[in-house]
């Protein structure tokens, strides 16, 4: 009212535009990262079935972690997402190590001419990788344990990150112990 004849264009400075642009950029980056992970899995494992098992294990681990966080009432904010991103490295590692061990064992048994059933080979290979995966998960959880005892602003800031990291690791362990051997048995027969 104090400036008659002046028109203000609200589209020039609109904070929501920045957030929308950042969300669009993040979507494209996540899509590119997913494609790179798929290509890397195929390149590392040399077999589409093994890569498919790893992709399912990774996806299921992350979806399970997000579902558990939702059920715990955790808001999906930047720190929770950061914890999931940090845990992604361990989740991918769990999936690849487990599947690679099973594929290697099946391949060795078939080359050696053994007539053992695929089920017994998968069980033996899964049992072989159980202890290392469990110990690695426990060590990673112990590494973030001090964050749970932080107080004040720092504790309030980093505890959601540690919770999401721990939940993702436990979900990955559960998937590695249960789903990965079953998928390996179904697809590597």
């Amino acid at each position: 009212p104090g400036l008659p004849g002046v028109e203000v264009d609200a589209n020039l400075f609109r904070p929501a535009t920045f957030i929308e642009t950042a969300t669009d950029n993040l979507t494209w980056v996540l899509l590119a990262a997913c494609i790179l992970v798929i290509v890397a899995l195929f390149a590392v494992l040399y077999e589409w079935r093994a890569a498919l098992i790893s992709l399912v294990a990774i996806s299921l681990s992350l979806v399970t972690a997000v579902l558990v966080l939702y059920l715990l009432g955790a808001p999906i904010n930047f720190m929770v997402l950061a914890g999931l991103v940090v845990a992604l490295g361990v989740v991918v590692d769990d999936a690849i190590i487990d599947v690679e061990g099973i594929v290697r064992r099946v391949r060795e048994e078939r080359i050696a001419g053994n007539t053992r059933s695929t089920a017994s080979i998968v069980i033996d290979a899964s049992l072989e990788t159980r202890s290392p995966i469990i110990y690695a998960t426990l060590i990673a959880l112990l590494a973030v344990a001090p964050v749970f005892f932080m107080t004040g602003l720092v504790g309030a800031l980093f505890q959601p990150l540690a919770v999401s990291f721990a939940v993702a690791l436990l979900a990955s362990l559960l998937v590695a112990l249960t789903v990965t051997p079953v998928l390996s048995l179904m697809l590597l027969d």
Side-chain angles (χ1 to χ4, degrees):
L3 300 172
V6 175
E7 287 186 35
V8 177
D9 188 2
N11 293 325
L12 292 178
F13 179 72
R14 185 174 164 254
T17 305
F18 171 75
I19 294 172
E20 290 167 356
T21 304
T23 304
D24 290 341
N25 290 341
L26 184 61
T27 303
W28 283 109
V29 168
L30 286 175
L31 181 64
C34 288
I35 291 170
L36 287 175
V37 166
I38 291 169
V39 169
L41 284 174
F42 279 103
V44 169
L45 296 173
Y46 303 116
E47 193 172 320
W48 71 269
R49 290 180 179 141
L52 180 65
I53 295 167
S54 293
L55 283 173
V56 170
I58 293 166
S59 302
L60 188 60
S61 296
L62 292 177
V63 167
T64 302
V66 169
L67 180 64
V68 169
L69 289 170
Y70 173 76
L71 293 175
L72 290 174
I76 304 298
N77 58 22
F78 180 74
M79 294 309 284
V80 170
L81 290 176
L84 291 174
V85 168
V86 171
L88 185 62
V90 178
V91 169
V92 169
D93 188 51
D94 279 354
I96 289 176
I97 286 175
D98 207 16
V99 172
E100 194 275 329
I102 292 171
V103 169
R104 180 182 44 81
R105 181 68 76 91
V106 168
R107 189 177 297 135
E108 287 172 357
E109 293 286 333
R110 296 299 180 233
I111 289 173
N114 291 343
T115 58
R116 287 177 53 195
S117 68
T118 304
S120 65
I121 297 170
V122 168
I123 289 171
D124 288 346
S126 295
L127 291 174
E128 180 182 295
T129 59
R130 288 292 171 250
S131 294
I133 288 176
I134 291 172
Y135 290 140
T137 301
L138 290 176
I139 290 168
L141 289 174
L142 284 174
V144 297
V147 175
F148 292 107
F149 300 106
M150 290 180 168
T151 58
L153 184 61
V154 174
L157 185 66
F158 285 110
Q159 282 178 356
L161 183 139
V163 167
S164 63
F165 179 80
V167 167
L169 258 61
L170 292 172
S172 175
L173 177 64
L174 181 67
V175 169
L177 294 177
T178 58
V179 176
T180 302
V182 172
L183 284 175
S184 298
L185 182 61
M186 292 170 54
L187 292 175
L188 297 176
D189 192 20

